[in-house]
Amino acid sequence: MVGVSDGHTPRQALTAAGRAVDRPVLSSALAALLDEVHAHSGAVYLPVPGQPVLEMAVMAGMPRAFAAPWERVGLSASVPVAHAVRDRQLVWVGGEEEMVRRYPRVAVVLPYPFALAALPLATRNATYGAVFVTWPASHPPELSGHERNRLTAACDRLALRLERAAAEGRPVLSEPDLLAPAPAGEAAGTLGSAEAARMVARLPYGLVSLDVHGRVSYANPAAAELIGLPAGELLGTLLWASVPWLNDPVYEDRYRAALISQHVTSFVALRPPGDWLSFRMYPSTTGLSVRISRARAVAEPGRGTPEPGAGRAGLVTISHVLSLAAALTEAVGVRDVVRLVADEIVPAVGSQALMVLGSQSGRLRVLGHHGYRDPRVVEGFDGIPLTAPTPGAHVLTTGVPAFFDCRRQLERLYPHRASVPDDFAAWAYLPLIASGRPVGTCVLSYAEPHHFPADERAVLTSLGGMMAQALERARLYDAKHRLAHGLQQALLPHSLPRLAGFDAAACYLPATQHMEIGGDFYDLVATEPTAAAVIGDVQGHNVTAAGLMGQLRTAVRAYTTVGQEPEEVMRSTNRLLMDLGVELFASCLYLRLDPASRSAVMSRAGHPPPLLRRPDGRVRVLDLAGGPLLGIDAAATYPTTRVGLAPGSVLVLYTDGLVESPGVDIEDAIAELGHRLGEAGDVPLGELADRLVRHSVAARERIDDVAVLLLRARGDG
């Protein structure tokens, strides 16, 4: 559990009856931790009261702007600190390639070589936050045992301090970030400062010193001449902000790459009208030294020079856009879009609630929401006519965004909004425009009055465009999913018949990486005094496979009803599949149950072997005789095997989706399934099916459909 309290109050405005911690608990602990493991930078996160969100409380070693998309992180977000809190364990990312593989959203925004460790701040009773630390690219790809122990011990100590502070009613608040120490005295005893300045002034190339934030702290005369600005105008400014032709996120990105990776980086820039300059950055933990020299002309087709004073989006805002774009590529359905926006954007922009509106039959429809404490408030927006004088309807029909800094602004234009008890104080209404037409409205709500400057409005509007494209894809997917789900449900048995002498239970899970429709099937046929059971798997995950599955299930039922023996049922079904000419194969396991003799006659066509759990708990893999897959050889035969079933015995029939996963030997997976079956004991069959599926690695990954059919022999046969 995460230690949070109710309410929307920002951390900075927290008040408490108890005394706030008066010492820099977080920054001192973070500084000591970085020193112990020789890390480059790090941050401490604390939970936001009343919200499933972590907020950065202090950062060290790097400008906070580098982590702008993750200053506020949803607990369900796919980022290392959230992962560490969810699993209550250390998360290690050893380099750029591993970051791309495990956390692609982070890698899109920070495509630099560095290593990272994230840990929860947790005691036995609760989780109080998280920590991450980073190392430059020179760090080995593996975390050493010494580093792991130091990290874990330091986080355990800080977690105990936070637990004591919470128990004593002393809130731990955000603290000032830790800047890199000034490099004063590094040259003491080797060169006087005046002589050093004279020496640097005589150099024919430019030298500029930047602090960790990228601000100019020194520029020699040659640098001022090459850049074209007096040194006095450069000091204390960001190089790419004070020099118009360097006002490009590409150049700021090189500074970030150097500082994060601690590798030398360089770039070439055009000083109008035609002078090319080379910039080479030498980083350290205290800042960067930049060497500027003339370069030969570089051809950059199609790249224009920005006009003096022309504004560009800063890299921080671009990083937010990149982060959401990477997240939305993972969205499948409408719920996924709403969840990802809630996880990625709501924490980043500081809003407390989100609602996504669409339209249907001339009325607003709530497609999803997050952060509203009273669901009745959301219900009040559903069904409003698009012609109604409401901001949501107006933005959806016109495609023009609307921003309201406070409730007074909103109610002046929409007086009826005064009757909506949503407890919020500022709103951003963003049109969701896809293929040139509005398809919905995204409403971001803020607990406190919020000013929306021009650059923030531009970024939020751009985010709305990306959300719209994802929403259109998601709605199309949801429609296909409903169709596929309906077809699948129609083709599988709605219920299992009661059999003489046997209990039965079944479980079916569709694959998660396709249309959620496939060819796995099962059936029970009651034919007094015997009964039949079948399970099979048609190749493929599409409507064709599902349609063929329905035909095979019907055929097996028909052949069983007319009294064919198990071997003949399989031969007839095989010939039918060959005659259909669909060029698809199917595996199948068919058995005839005889309660009088307490036995089953089984025939197998390329299907995984069933498992038999005896009454004493021992499990056996039934290596049955059989033939090839159905649909391969019209002349194939399918011999049968008789197996005794003592009262209390359990037969487990399953498709390969339960045991097949990449990198796992199928025989080992079947053995593991047998082990779980033996340990389960005499539980109800429905519960047993759930256990077998829940603990299966292949079923969790759901690359393939999973079907399970369980049969237990009763003693009343």
Side-chain angles (χ1 to χ4, degrees), residues 373-407:
R373 288 181 290 182
D374 187 352
R376 290 174 297 181
V377 172
V378 178
E379 294 169 2
F381 291 93
D382 197 69
I384 294 177
L386 294 180
T387 55
T390 66
H394 186 257
V395 169
L396 190 150
T397 54
T398 64
V400 178
F403 301 90
F404 303 97
D405 294 2
C406 61
R407 179 172 287 274

Side-chain angles (χ1 to χ4, degrees), residues 529-613:
T530 62
V534 64
I535 190 165
D537 182 4
V538 178
Q539 170 193 10
H541 294 87
N542 49 42
V543 174
T544 301
L548 185 60
M549 173 265 281
Q551 290 176 293
L552 292 186
R553 178 181 164 234
T554 302
V556 169
R557 178 174 279 267
Y559 297 141
T560 299
T561 303
V562 299
Q564 289 190 359
E565 294 299 317
E567 182 177 1
E568 187 58 32
V569 169
M570 295 292 275
R571 284 204 303 267
S572 299
T573 306
N574 179 52
R575 288 194 296 268
L576 171 66
L577 186 55
M578 298 291 292
D579 292 342
L580 291 175
V582 293
E583 297 185 353
L584 291 178
F585 310 133
S587 70
C588 188
L589 175 63
Y590 179 89
L591 54 93
R592 185 68 55 83
L593 299 166
D594 186 354
S597 63
R598 293 193 172 95
S599 65
V601 178
M602 306 184 187
S603 183
R604 184 161 68 111
H607 200 80
L611 301 180
L612 174 63
R613 184 182 185 273

Side-chain angles (χ1 to χ4, degrees), residues 3 20 26 42 44 54 57 61 122 199 215 242 319 324 342 378 410 443 478 509 620:
L26 305 178
V44 178
L54 296 171
M199 180 192 73
R215 294 187 295 253
S242 57
S319 67
L324 180 63
V378 178
L410 179 64
V443 186
D478 284 347
L509 294 175
R620 174 186 169 196

Side-chain angles (χ1 to χ4, degrees), residues 4 52 94 119 159 197 199 202 248 292 315 372-373 387 405 431 435 469 511 608 619 633 681 711-712:
V4 297
L119 300 92
M199 180 192 73
R202 291 192 292 265
D248 191 319
I292 307 173
L315 193 61
Y372 289 86
R373 288 181 290 182
T387 55
D405 294 2
S435 303
Q469 298 294 331
V619 175
D633 180 7
L711 299 165
R712 174 180 282 151

Side-chain angles (χ1 to χ4, degrees), residues 99-131:
M99 185 69 77
V100 170
R101 178 170 52 84
R102 296 179 59 191
Y103 301 102
R105 302 181 202 171
V106 178
V108 165
V109 180
L110 297 176
Y112 317 120
F114 66 96
L116 178 145
L119 300 92
L121 295 173
T123 64
R124 180 175 299 180
N125 300 319
T127 301
Y128 293 94
V131 169

Side-chain angles (χ1 to χ4, degrees), residues 167-242:
E168 297 169 5
R170 298 181 292 114
V172 178
L173 308 180
S174 298
E175 297 172 7
D177 290 349
L178 298 175
L179 303 178
E186 286 183 356
T190 60
L191 190 66
S193 58
E195 181 58 31
R198 285 193 292 269
M199 180 192 73
V200 172
R202 291 192 292 265
L203 294 175
Y205 47 81
L207 287 178
V208 173
S209 179
L210 306 179
D211 65 14
V212 291
H213 293 282
R215 294 187 295 253
V216 178
S217 56
Y218 175 80
N220 71 347
E225 181 180 353
L226 288 169
I227 292 174
L229 287 176
E233 294 185 19
L234 293 173
L235 294 179
T237 68
L238 295 173
L239 196 60
W240 34 88
S242 57

Side-chain angles (χ1 to χ4, degrees), residues 46 75 90 110 161 179 189-190 259 331 335 409 421 458 460 493 501 504 510 516 557 593 596 656 664 697 711:
L46 297 178
L75 288 178
L90 185 149
L110 297 176
R161 296 185 68 180
L179 303 178
T190 60
L259 204 56
R335 288 185 179 180
Q409 286 185 3
L460 290 176
E516 294 197 12
R557 178 174 279 267
L593 299 166
D656 55 10
V664 178
V697 174
L711 299 165

